[in-house]
Amino acid sequence: MPRTTSGSLQTLRKSNQERVLSLLLESGPTHRAELARRAGVSRTTVSTIVTDLIGRGLVVEADAEAGADGRAKEALAVNPAAGMALGLDFTFDHVWVHLADLARGEIAGGGRVVDVELGWAERIDVAEDVLGSLIAEHGLDRGRIVGAGIGLPGPIEKSTGIVSTSLPDQPWSQVHAADEFSKRLAMPVEIENNTRLEAVAEAYGGAGAGVGDVLYVGLSSGIAASLILDGRVVRGAVGAAGELGHTSINVDGPACPCGNRGCLVLRAGIPAILASLRDHLGPKATIDDVLAAAGAGDRACEGVLADVGQLTGQVLASLCNLLNPQRIVVGGELAQAGDALLDPMRGAIRRYALSLVRDVEVVPAALDLGARAGAVGGAELILGEKDDLARTLNRLDGRMQR
């Protein structure tokens, strides 16, 4: 019986510690009395919990502020240095690693270009190598990483962590990514479509910050979208929400590798843009060449980008009718075209969307392109799961140097 009682007390103490950590993660600096009220425990219990958490370096006293009586009151906050969130993002030709503290400040980041033919296991090797280099360079403790948010191309089956097949020959198709990364990294992992992670990054620290309902559109070699409603990422029943590029804009159009015909990506993706300008710019032209030429007033390039904006806007008009987002954030390489792309897109939305929703804001993404933004979103994914984060922090071994 004493053993059971001791175990029950330890379980209760741990539960209370995690409750306090979760409240501080959710609300930011909070006074002891407010913590006690929200946690449903006495002030004495909170004081005991806080003393322990401060001693372990998990909680710190925040800057004092004046109360209604004019007296300074000490607030408490989670120590930003108590842990690190890891974000990894894998595009077809890049790997990026991002480490953030618990206040979302960047600790370190770095990436590497990879061969598009590289297999999935070798891509994980690259990520581990970059991570190891960052940890060594900045003198970090890998044991303080509380979890990894990982972005991969393609639909992710949320319940299993398996990457579904969307297009042939993708390196991650049918890989049980959650298991593979858990084994290789030896930490909790969350697997997500990388366009959704770009959307998360923009929603919390970019062009979508402060907006509840955001539709993010990534225009690159592929075209994808991600919807955030009331601050929550919409994934769909099997994790396939957002395959915007495979919306058919011409049912009698050319066949797409996805099995559909006349898909938007066949007209508006980077390969289609380069193909349409091959005779004008030459076979070795890149999308950077197209953007530079358009910026210098090249009418052919401006016209192609305008067509891309108009076609994409037509599809987005239907999404506005259906979902009524407050703001559309356009990312990916093509967003660098600015108003040459966005103005035709806005015009198409105004023309084809219902009058109630057609004045939606359409703005360019504010963060870095592609894998880097995705990695930032991956870290945000971990930091956004307050209860899981509190449990993980409470399990960290040892005491921190403060």
mmCIF file of all heavy atoms in Angstrom, residues 309-329:
data_model
loop_
_atom_site.group_PDB
_atom_site.id
_atom_site.type_symbol
_atom_site.label_atom_id
_atom_site.label_comp_id
_atom_site.label_asym_id
_atom_site.label_seq_id
_atom_site.Cartn_x
_atom_site.Cartn_y
_atom_site.Cartn_z
ATOM 1 N N GLY A 309 -0.640 33.572 -63.402
ATOM 2 C CA GLY A 309 -1.427 34.210 -62.353
ATOM 3 C C GLY A 309 -2.920 34.131 -62.622
ATOM 4 O O GLY A 309 -3.710 33.856 -61.713
ATOM 5 N N GLN A 310 -3.306 34.350 -63.883
ATOM 6 C CA GLN A 310 -4.730 34.339 -64.227
ATOM 7 C C GLN A 310 -5.314 32.932 -64.077
ATOM 8 O O GLN A 310 -6.397 32.754 -63.500
ATOM 9 C CB GLN A 310 -4.903 34.852 -65.658
ATOM 10 C CG GLN A 310 -6.320 35.229 -66.038
ATOM 11 C CD GLN A 310 -7.123 34.068 -66.570
ATOM 12 O OE1 GLN A 310 -6.545 33.099 -67.066
ATOM 13 N NE2 GLN A 310 -8.441 34.157 -66.461
ATOM 14 N N LEU A 311 -4.599 31.913 -64.557
ATOM 15 C CA LEU A 311 -5.097 30.540 -64.451
ATOM 16 C C LEU A 311 -5.198 30.103 -62.989
ATOM 17 O O LEU A 311 -6.182 29.485 -62.572
ATOM 18 C CB LEU A 311 -4.177 29.596 -65.216
ATOM 19 C CG LEU A 311 -4.267 29.636 -66.746
ATOM 20 C CD1 LEU A 311 -3.126 28.838 -67.358
ATOM 21 C CD2 LEU A 311 -5.608 29.082 -67.217
ATOM 22 N N THR A 312 -4.167 30.413 -62.234
ATOM 23 C CA THR A 312 -4.179 30.045 -60.809
ATOM 24 C C THR A 312 -5.290 30.792 -60.086
ATOM 25 O O THR A 312 -5.976 30.225 -59.219
ATOM 26 C CB THR A 312 -2.817 30.344 -60.169
ATOM 27 O OG1 THR A 312 -1.778 29.690 -60.898
ATOM 28 C CG2 THR A 312 -2.775 29.871 -58.721
ATOM 29 N N GLY A 313 -5.500 32.052 -60.439
ATOM 30 C CA GLY A 313 -6.565 32.838 -59.826
ATOM 31 C C GLY A 313 -7.945 32.261 -60.081
ATOM 32 O O GLY A 313 -8.818 32.303 -59.204
ATOM 33 N N GLN A 314 -8.147 31.707 -61.292
ATOM 34 C CA GLN A 314 -9.439 31.070 -61.582
ATOM 35 C C GLN A 314 -9.707 29.916 -60.624
ATOM 36 O O GLN A 314 -10.820 29.766 -60.111
ATOM 37 C CB GLN A 314 -9.454 30.549 -63.018
ATOM 38 C CG GLN A 314 -9.671 31.603 -64.071
ATOM 39 C CD GLN A 314 -9.757 30.986 -65.452
ATOM 40 O OE1 GLN A 314 -8.905 31.224 -66.301
ATOM 41 N NE2 GLN A 314 -10.782 30.182 -65.674
ATOM 42 N N VAL A 315 -8.689 29.097 -60.408
ATOM 43 C CA VAL A 315 -8.847 27.963 -59.484
ATOM 44 C C VAL A 315 -9.055 28.474 -58.061
ATOM 45 O O VAL A 315 -9.905 27.958 -57.311
ATOM 46 C CB VAL A 315 -7.625 27.032 -59.568
ATOM 47 C CG1 VAL A 315 -7.732 25.908 -58.536
ATOM 48 C CG2 VAL A 315 -7.486 26.445 -60.973
ATOM 49 N N LEU A 316 -8.293 29.496 -57.671
ATOM 50 C CA LEU A 316 -8.416 30.032 -56.316
ATOM 51 C C LEU A 316 -9.777 30.680 -56.080
ATOM 52 O O LEU A 316 -10.273 30.690 -54.948
ATOM 53 C CB LEU A 316 -7.301 31.046 -56.050
ATOM 54 C CG LEU A 316 -5.889 30.469 -55.965
ATOM 55 C CD1 LEU A 316 -4.869 31.581 -55.784
ATOM 56 C CD2 LEU A 316 -5.784 29.459 -54.827
ATOM 57 N N ALA A 317 -10.391 31.200 -57.144
ATOM 58 C CA ALA A 317 -11.729 31.793 -56.988
ATOM 59 C C ALA A 317 -12.716 30.754 -56.475
ATOM 60 O O ALA A 317 -13.558 31.047 -55.610
ATOM 61 C CB ALA A 317 -12.195 32.370 -58.322
ATOM 62 N N SER A 318 -12.617 29.537 -56.993
ATOM 63 C CA SER A 318 -13.507 28.472 -56.522
ATOM 64 C C SER A 318 -13.233 28.138 -55.062
ATOM 65 O O SER A 318 -14.161 27.881 -54.277
ATOM 66 C CB SER A 318 -13.340 27.224 -57.392
ATOM 67 O OG SER A 318 -13.750 27.485 -58.713
ATOM 68 N N LEU A 319 -11.945 28.145 -54.687
ATOM 69 C CA LEU A 319 -11.614 27.872 -53.288
ATOM 70 C C LEU A 319 -12.119 28.993 -52.383
ATOM 71 O O LEU A 319 -12.532 28.736 -51.251
ATOM 72 C CB LEU A 319 -10.099 27.712 -53.131
ATOM 73 C CG LEU A 319 -9.488 26.434 -53.707
ATOM 74 C CD1 LEU A 319 -8.002 26.364 -53.396
ATOM 75 C CD2 LEU A 319 -10.189 25.199 -53.149
ATOM 76 N N CYS A 320 -12.085 30.219 -52.873
ATOM 77 C CA CYS A 320 -12.628 31.328 -52.076
ATOM 78 C C CYS A 320 -14.128 31.158 -51.871
ATOM 79 O O CYS A 320 -14.650 31.404 -50.772
ATOM 80 C CB CYS A 320 -12.344 32.656 -52.768
ATOM 81 S SG CYS A 320 -10.614 33.164 -52.707
ATOM 82 N N ASN A 321 -14.839 30.736 -52.911
ATOM 83 C CA ASN A 321 -16.276 30.480 -52.768
ATOM 84 C C ASN A 321 -16.544 29.390 -51.740
ATOM 85 O O ASN A 321 -17.511 29.450 -50.979
ATOM 86 C CB ASN A 321 -16.869 30.051 -54.111
ATOM 87 C CG ASN A 321 -16.913 31.180 -55.124
ATOM 88 O OD1 ASN A 321 -16.775 32.348 -54.768
ATOM 89 N ND2 ASN A 321 -17.101 30.826 -56.381
ATOM 90 N N LEU A 322 -15.688 28.388 -51.734
ATOM 91 C CA LEU A 322 -15.898 27.230 -50.864
ATOM 92 C C LEU A 322 -15.435 27.477 -49.435
ATOM 93 O O LEU A 322 -16.101 27.072 -48.479
ATOM 94 C CB LEU A 322 -15.152 26.026 -51.448
ATOM 95 C CG LEU A 322 -15.270 24.697 -50.698
ATOM 96 C CD1 LEU A 322 -16.712 24.206 -50.733
ATOM 97 C CD2 LEU A 322 -14.345 23.658 -51.316
ATOM 98 N N LEU A 323 -14.292 28.168 -49.260
ATOM 99 C CA LEU A 323 -13.633 28.235 -47.963
ATOM 100 C C LEU A 323 -13.588 29.637 -47.352
ATOM 101 O O LEU A 323 -13.347 29.766 -46.158
ATOM 102 C CB LEU A 323 -12.196 27.695 -48.087
ATOM 103 C CG LEU A 323 -12.088 26.260 -48.613
ATOM 104 C CD1 LEU A 323 -10.637 25.934 -48.950
ATOM 105 C CD2 LEU A 323 -12.642 25.271 -47.591
ATOM 106 N N ASN A 324 -13.731 30.662 -48.171
ATOM 107 C CA ASN A 324 -13.762 32.032 -47.690
ATOM 108 C C ASN A 324 -12.570 32.385 -46.799
ATOM 109 O O ASN A 324 -12.740 32.815 -45.657
ATOM 110 C CB ASN A 324 -15.072 32.283 -46.935
ATOM 111 C CG ASN A 324 -15.239 33.747 -46.544
ATOM 112 O OD1 ASN A 324 -14.687 34.626 -47.179
ATOM 113 N ND2 ASN A 324 -16.000 33.983 -45.490
ATOM 114 N N PRO A 325 -11.326 32.235 -47.297
ATOM 115 C CA PRO A 325 -10.178 32.630 -46.482
ATOM 116 C C PRO A 325 -10.095 34.142 -46.337
ATOM 117 O O PRO A 325 -10.569 34.890 -47.195
ATOM 118 C CB PRO A 325 -8.980 32.098 -47.288
ATOM 119 C CG PRO A 325 -9.461 32.105 -48.700
ATOM 120 C CD PRO A 325 -10.926 31.748 -48.630
ATOM 121 N N GLN A 326 -9.489 34.576 -45.253
ATOM 122 C CA GLN A 326 -9.311 36.016 -45.036
ATOM 123 C C GLN A 326 -8.137 36.538 -45.862
ATOM 124 O O GLN A 326 -8.151 37.683 -46.321
ATOM 125 C CB GLN A 326 -9.064 36.292 -43.555
ATOM 126 C CG GLN A 326 -8.889 37.768 -43.207
ATOM 127 C CD GLN A 326 -8.701 37.978 -41.723
ATOM 128 O OE1 GLN A 326 -8.893 37.072 -40.914
ATOM 129 N NE2 GLN A 326 -8.310 39.185 -41.336
ATOM 130 N N ARG A 327 -7.113 35.701 -46.032
ATOM 131 C CA ARG A 327 -5.929 36.130 -46.767
ATOM 132 C C ARG A 327 -5.350 34.950 -47.531
ATOM 133 O O ARG A 327 -5.339 33.813 -47.036
ATOM 134 C CB ARG A 327 -4.882 36.685 -45.801
ATOM 135 C CG ARG A 327 -3.613 37.238 -46.459
ATOM 136 C CD ARG A 327 -2.686 37.851 -45.416
ATOM 137 N NE ARG A 327 -3.321 38.989 -44.762
ATOM 138 C CZ ARG A 327 -2.852 39.565 -43.639
ATOM 139 N NH1 ARG A 327 -1.765 39.066 -43.063
ATOM 140 N NH2 ARG A 327 -3.472 40.591 -43.107
ATOM 141 N N ILE A 328 -4.872 35.203 -48.737
ATOM 142 C CA ILE A 328 -4.148 34.214 -49.525
ATOM 143 C C ILE A 328 -2.686 34.639 -49.562
ATOM 144 O O ILE A 328 -2.371 35.761 -49.964
ATOM 145 C CB ILE A 328 -4.703 34.096 -50.955
ATOM 146 C CG1 ILE A 328 -6.150 33.595 -50.924
ATOM 147 C CG2 ILE A 328 -3.836 33.160 -51.796
ATOM 148 C CD1 ILE A 328 -6.821 33.577 -52.294
ATOM 149 N N VAL A 329 -1.814 33.752 -49.117
ATOM 150 C CA VAL A 329 -0.375 34.006 -49.131
ATOM 151 C C VAL A 329 0.233 33.159 -50.241
ATOM 152 O O VAL A 329 0.055 31.945 -50.270
ATOM 153 C CB VAL A 329 0.270 33.654 -47.780
ATOM 154 C CG1 VAL A 329 1.784 33.859 -47.838
ATOM 155 C CG2 VAL A 329 -0.340 34.498 -46.664
#
